[in-house]
Each structure stands twice: as structure tokens, then as C-alpha cells.
Amino acid sequence: MWILDYQLFLLPELLRKRVSDMIIGLYVRSPFPSSELFRSLPESQQILSGMLGANVIGFQTYGYSRHFTSSCMRILGVDTTPKGVDNEGVLVDVVVHPIGIDAEAVRRIASREGVRQRAETLRELSAGKRIILGLDAMDQSRGILHKLRALEKAFQMYPELVGKVPIVAGPATSSPPSRLS
Amino acid sequence: MDSLEGARPRVLVVSDSLPYAIRLQRGGEPVPERRRRRSYGSYDSLPIDFGEEVGGLVATDIGVGSSFDFKERHHHVALWVGRQLEEFETIYVGKPAGVDPKVYEGDLMVAAHLRESYFTQKSCVPVLLPANTLHGHWEGYCQTTLRPLLHYTQAEACLDGRKQLAMWNDYVKVNEAFADSILAIWQPGDIGRTSSPLLSS
């Protein structure tokens, strides 16, 4: 049983209550904030207990997994170890498995005729320049503004780059890549 | 759904929405794709149109005799997870993306027909929920409270206690409905001990 993401944080415990020996994994794709922030959520206890119904909980980074275990310790008052969280005598494993990109799928898309033509056109338009390509969901958490500010800073620090670094940015969604521009 | 001798063990991959889009078929041909505009909930002030998502059903479309076809949704993480688990038979559980709740609300026959079609054609278990509960869960608790908190952008959080409580109740209801849908198809021994790297760490 693999459960994905914060829309379903209560599900592991709901299942555990009804089938005690179910094997349940929960993967959290989003970040997990520090316990000081997380405890400000009125329902923080219910959410943490809900998650602890799983046998194993995965996070993207070590930092997020630490935030989660310290939230359990401070908000629920349960024991934690470097490997997991004690849930009434059962150790819930807390693991770190970053999601990579599907390199094979990207390669497939990149080799399509239409994509190759488009790439060729972009390279011709920007001959002799370095192209920065950004594909981000139009979403506050993707840091698009931060990327633009970083570029601005780079231009201030290295004025010789101005005019030499075209940036190609597009919204990435679940729509087919051919529709991105 | 008897488990056959020697059949692969089943694993259930549960995500908010199912990784397949549904389309109505008429006379063996898919009906021309319904075009659904995507907009991003919390960005009302920035109405960007990201094109169309394939598939979808509205209430006038279907009855108990309708037939459907299904199309993979692009880059859906549940599919990716399912494909890593080669030694398992994968069953997907989630909300049916693009299906207007009016299609199944108050019509048990249609709801049963939808469930049957999703399951037999794509090993999917659609969690069918009323529109207002869905709204309180996703546009409500997830988008205004949980997601901003997890991403350190709490400025967007809901500050109205009563509204917050109503949204939380919908969040609980959706999680419970998922549990019911899962337990309806759960069989003991679906997952035994396994050497899968995902489950053994």
C-alpha cells in the first residue's frame, strides 16, 4: 500500500485501525516544516497521528525527515530514534528517498522530431550565447521569482553577461509537453 | 477478484487523483475530447490558461450502458511508482480526475458502473465523493492551510476559525472515504513480505 502526499495524511491511521497488519507506506513529496511552525496548526496532533499509522514514511530530504521526527517528539510527546518514531511500541521507519527525474522519459521527449527542430531554432536564434531553460509549474512553491531575482543579481555582478544569456521559461503542467512554450 | 494461485501479489498505490483520464465512447469511437480549462486554485488573480486536459465526464454524458476508454495522464507520479513495482499487480486508488460529481451523486447505478469500468479496464478504484466535500478538502484545507504551511508560505492560511473547522471536517471525510474504498477491495495477503526496495528499507 503506497499512499502519496498531504491530501491523505490521515489515511494510514484510518486503515491501521481496521486492519492492524496491513503494510502501509506513506511518501511525502512536499517539504515538511520545522516543528515550531508545524505546531501552529490546530490539527497538528491529528495529522501526525494519522501519518504514524504507516509502517514507513518517506521524505525528499534528510532535513524534512528530521523536521517530521522532531514534530512527533514535541507535539505528540513520543519517543524518536534516528531511524524512526515510536508509535505505541511499534517503530515507524522514517526514510529519505528523494524523487529524481524520469531521465528515460525526458530523453524520449527530447529526441522527438518536433522538439529537436524547436531546439535547433532556439540555438540558431541565440548563436554564441548560453541558453537558460526553465520549466516550472506556475506555482508559488517553485521559486520562479527567486530564479528571476538570481538572474538579475548575476547581471548586476557580471554586467558582461547582459545580452548574452537568453532565458527561455515555460510553465510545466500535466499537459503534454508539446503544448508548452 | 479471487486471488489466483501463483498470481502476483497486489500493491495498492493511493494518490489524490487517479493517473488515468476517462472518456466516453459512442459506437466504439471515442467522443471528441472535452476541453477542460485548467486554472490554479490559489492564483485567482493570475488567470493563466495552461491549455486543456484530456478527458472528463459531465452528467448528461452517461448512463449505465455507457462505455469508456481511458488515457494515461502525463507524468502522474502514481504511474511512475506502479511501474517500479514490477513484481506486483498494481491497483490505483484515487479521485476520478475530470469527472463531474453530478455524474454519480445520487445515482448508485451509475456510480457502480463507473467503479466497474475503472476497475476492469485500468485496475483503478475511483473514490466517488460529493462536490462540496471535494471542495472543502482540496480548495479548502489542502490549498489554504496544509500546503502553505508545509511550504512555509503561511500568509495564505485561513484565519477564520469556523471556516477552518468546516474545511478540516471535509479533509477528514475525504480521508475516511479513501479508507472505505480501499477496505472494500482489500484482501489479506495482498502484500506479503517483499524484496522491493521501496518497502524493505
Side-chain angles (χ1 to χ4, degrees):
Chain A
M1 173 84 53
W2 271 96
I3 299 168
L4 297 158
D5 267 347
Y6 58 86
Q7 295 92 339
L8 301 169
F9 272 168
L10 305 179
L11 189 50
E13 187 184 33
L14 291 169
L15 293 169
R16 177 71 61 215
K17 277 183 183 159
R18 308 220 337 231
V19 183
S20 61
D21 60 350
M22 199 182 275
I23 298 176
I24 303 170
L26 170 68
Y27 189 76
V28 183
R29 269 193 299 175
S30 65
F32 202 91
S34 84
S35 61
E36 289 306 314
L37 184 58
F38 194 73
R39 73 193 311 163
S40 70
L41 184 66
E43 300 86 13
S44 59
Q45 290 194 2
Q46 290 100 307
I47 286 182
L48 292 174
S49 316
M51 296 171 77
L52 288 178
N55 299 86
V56 50
I57 305 176
F59 290 91
Q60 295 261 24
T61 73
Y62 180 68
Y64 302 156
S65 78
R66 290 282 306 143
H67 284 157
F68 172 72
T69 47
S70 65
S71 295
C72 288
M73 185 172 64
R74 293 189 178 136
I75 297 166
L76 297 180
V78 297
D79 288 334
T80 63
T81 77
K83 297 188 90 172
V85 178
D86 177 79
N87 184 30
E88 294 173 11
V90 179
L91 185 74
V92 179
D93 283 324
V94 176
V95 298
V96 180
H97 289 303
I99 293 185
I101 62 164
D102 187 347
E104 200 44 54
V106 172
R107 198 174 294 131
R108 256 198 326 271
I109 292 166
S111 64
R112 278 185 204 155
E113 192 46 38
V115 176
R116 289 202 340 223
Q117 280 176 9
R118 186 75 193 273
E120 204 45 54
T121 313
L122 281 174
R123 284 200 193 93
E124 277 170 23
L125 277 172
S126 313
K129 298 172 182 172
R130 283 164 194 253
I131 303 170
I132 295 177
L133 173 68
L135 284 177
D136 299 284
M138 292 299 282
D139 177 312
Q140 198 181 18
S141 67
R142 308 306 160 123
I144 296 171
L145 283 177
H146 303 80
K147 284 176 192 171
L148 290 174
R149 285 194 196 113
L151 195 69
E152 183 181 30
K153 176 104 176 168
F155 286 148
Q156 284 163 0
M157 290 168 70
Y158 306 100
E160 66 272 22
L161 290 180
V162 175
K164 291 187 184 155
V165 187
I167 181 164
V168 182
T173 68
S174 59
S175 304
S178 59
R179 297 210 182 106
L180 302 182
S181 56
Chain B
M1 287 192 288
D2 294 336
S3 44
L4 300 168
E5 199 65 38
R8 289 180 300 168
R10 304 194 309 178
V11 64
L12 278 67
V13 177
V14 187
S15 56
D16 188 57
S17 66
L18 288 170
Y20 289 94
I22 189 169
R23 287 186 304 182
L24 188 67
Q25 273 197 325
R26 256 176 221 144
E29 292 291 315
V31 171
E33 285 162 11
R34 183 173 307 283
R35 306 206 157 210
R36 191 158 71 89
R37 300 227 171 250
R38 279 176 74 92
S39 66
Y40 270 57
S42 60
Y43 268 58
D44 293 338
S45 56
L46 192 65
I48 296 174
D49 180 10
F50 292 107
E52 315 87 24
E53 181 142 284
V54 175
L57 289 178
V58 294
T60 50
D61 278 348
I62 74 164
V64 288
S66 305
S67 57
F68 307 107
D69 74 346
F70 292 86
K71 197 168 169 182
E72 273 183 27
R73 296 171 67 207
H74 287 265
H75 310 302
H76 196 288
V77 70
L79 277 180
W80 186 85
V81 171
R83 284 178 186 147
Q84 311 306 306
L85 300 166
E86 283 173 0
E87 68 268 44
F88 294 95
E89 180 195 342
T90 307
I91 294 169
Y92 299 99
V93 182
K95 300 188 292 206
V99 177
D100 185 338
K102 290 196 192 83
V103 168
Y104 51 79
E105 269 183 300
D107 193 334
L108 292 175
M109 299 286 281
V110 167
H113 179 54
L114 266 183
R115 284 199 189 92
E116 173 76 17
S117 304
Y118 269 100
F119 195 81
T120 51
Q121 289 179 250
K122 287 293 164 201
S123 298
C124 286
V125 177
V127 183
L128 305 180
L129 286 150
N132 57 347
T133 311
L134 287 171
H135 187 82
H137 171 258
W138 177 240
E139 283 85 3
Y141 196 74
C142 285
Q143 294 267 40
T144 67
T145 301
L146 200 46
R147 189 171 189 285
L149 182 84
L150 295 174
H151 289 88
Y152 286 89
T153 54
Q154 243 192 327
E156 291 179 13
C158 175
L159 296 174
D160 176 341
R162 268 179 296 185
K163 201 171 154 195
Q164 163 95 7
L165 185 62
M167 296 188 310
W168 165 252
N169 288 336
D170 285 331
Y171 184 80
V172 174
K173 271 186 214 159
V174 168
N175 277 257
E176 286 172 347
F178 268 75
D180 291 340
S181 295
I182 289 164
L183 290 161
I185 60 145
W186 172 258
Q187 300 166 343
D190 264 351
I191 303 171
R193 287 186 68 82
T194 166
S195 60
S196 159
L198 280 175
L199 293 173
S200 64
S201 46

